[in-house]
Amino acid sequence: MPVLNRVSRAAASIVIVVGIVAATVVSASALGTSGLASSAPWPVGVAIDQRETVGSPASVVASEFSQITAENAMKPDAIQPREGEFTFTGADRLIDFAQAHGLRVWGHTLVWHKQTPAWFFTDPITKQPLTDSPADRALLLERMRVHITTLATHLSTRYGAFGSSTNPIVAFDVVNEVIDEWETNGLRRSEWYRILGPSFIDSAFQIANDAFNAGKTVDPPVALFLNDYGTEWPKKRQAVMTVASGLLDRDIPLGGVGSQFHLTVGSSPVSDVGDTLDAFATLGVEQAVTELDASVSGTVTPEALSVQGEYFRAIGERLMRHPELFSVTVWGLNDSRSWRTGAPLLFNDDLSKKPSYDGLRAAVSPKVTPTPTGTTPTPTPTPTRTSLIPPTPTPTATSAVPTQPVPAATVPSSTKVPDAPTVVPLKPLQISRVTVSGKLRVGQRLVARVPSALPTNAQVTYQWYTVKSTGKKVAITKARSRTFTVPKRLKRSTIVVRVTASATGYERAVKWSRLITIR
Ligand code: XIL
């Protein structure tokens, strides 16, 4: 185990910004305050290219999501098509857009066997493929270093230091799709592997950590991910676990593991997805869903889209058992923009919401109890969807894909709509900031604070959740307390804080904190 890394992280002071509770009227242009991302415990991302930075697609991205990934613009062939020729224009356009709209950016990707120009693996003089000779190995390693370092230097020059308020980059896929579960050591035989051997993964993380995090392993500003597809398959899941554990055992600065989750309705069991989330939660590093989509198999009919809606809801509910996820990203905005067939996304091409959107939205949204105007709202939140964060572990979900088509009407089309014929609409109560501070040491107290003024009748509830190394979630306290003592059993675990504010005449507001990781 990377002892130094984990011990020093465990003792690190933390200050986590969750949001300031403030009663504000949400204007139409206030981005991300009412969309899909607003009620989910984790940032919700979408893969985009420049087409989604203008016009109505841009409005949907900015209002529904809180993070973006460049679908292609940060891949090696886009950044350095010819050796020494760097083109940042496409990437900058997306990051500028994110910066302008307060969205986080997930970097994708540094080292991959696809969309990587052949020159990386070719001798510049003989034009022959590089071999595994010491000279060729040194050349390829240097090319990796130059590629990663030049990109990182550009990004910190243009957007300010990583981790600063002007730089929206929060994570990077350092290695993409390097796992092959059918190989004895679980590693894909790519050109990277053929020339450098298995150590290319270690090198990529070390170079990336120097470039993006100045070598910091305690609270690094950019989370460095190993990302792969098919992690829902048990054999692949196991291979990822083995490779990731090996990296951590060798003290390689692995920041997290990403599951792409390119799923198919009816043939990717929700239970497999859930088992992977539970397994990766035991690694003690961040975990993210990086490229979620779910294709309809066969003809895309209204019935099939309803079933897809139910499937997205079931997936969403399973994801909700992991409020500590770093982020959940869907791989594209609307169906015709997907790299897959089978209408796998959340929006139609006219940008209207599909049942898949409604299903996911229903799963991630805290249920709001209608509050009659003029009466005091219930101070303690009572989510009607018990699977939101169960206080005790819930049984593993089996595939929730119904065999019969489900009418669209069974998928809730929106949340936060009280049935009561309320005459005066409730004002929005927005939680935008809360700080959580304290020392991440066993026995220490963490304190959550709401730094700004609230309406005089407001009541704020704090709930602390943990994800133990088993991957199960336990509500430690559900009191109206603002302090939380770090117990022994939370080692190698994470903490998530849910803050709920209620006030007469206002809608209830809910915000989830970023996780605190205890190693
Ligand atoms: C896909 C893009 O969506 C397409 O536009 C492109 O033509 C090919 O790549 N796994 C990944 C992504 O890590 O980069 C891929 O994106 C989809 C599969």
Side-chain angles (χ1 to χ4, degrees), residues 129-177:
L130 296 181
T131 68
D132 62 356
S133 72
D136 283 2
R137 292 165 57 88
L139 175 62
L140 182 54
L141 207 53
E142 180 60 6
R143 284 170 166 172
M144 180 196 280
R145 196 189 62 73
V146 168
H147 183 79
I148 294 173
T149 308
T150 307
L151 175 57
T153 302
H154 166 76
L155 295 173
S156 59
T157 305
R158 187 177 169 92
Y159 299 101
F162 293 109
S164 70
S165 60
T166 53
N167 191 323
I169 293 150
V170 292
F172 235 103
D173 289 323
V174 174
V175 295
N176 194 31
E177 304 179 347

Side-chain angles (χ1 to χ4, degrees), residues 389-419:
I389 295 291
T392 49
T394 48
T396 305
T398 51
S399 172
V401 184
T403 47
Q404 295 300 315
V406 176
T410 63
V411 181
S413 59
S414 82
T415 56
K416 299 197 178 187
V417 182
D419 334 305

Side-chain angles (χ1 to χ4, degrees), residues 386-444:
T386 52
S387 65
L388 189 66
I389 295 291
T392 49
T394 48
T396 305
T398 51
S399 172
V401 184
T403 47
Q404 295 300 315
V406 176
T410 63
V411 181
S413 59
S414 82
T415 56
K416 299 197 178 187
V417 182
D419 334 305
T422 310
V423 185
V424 183
L426 296 175
K427 288 178 268 183
L429 177 67
Q430 192 192 346
I431 302 177
S432 58
R433 192 181 168 87
V434 166
T435 57
V436 182
S437 58
K439 291 228 184 242
L440 281 185
R441 284 210 193 102
V442 170
Q444 295 283 327

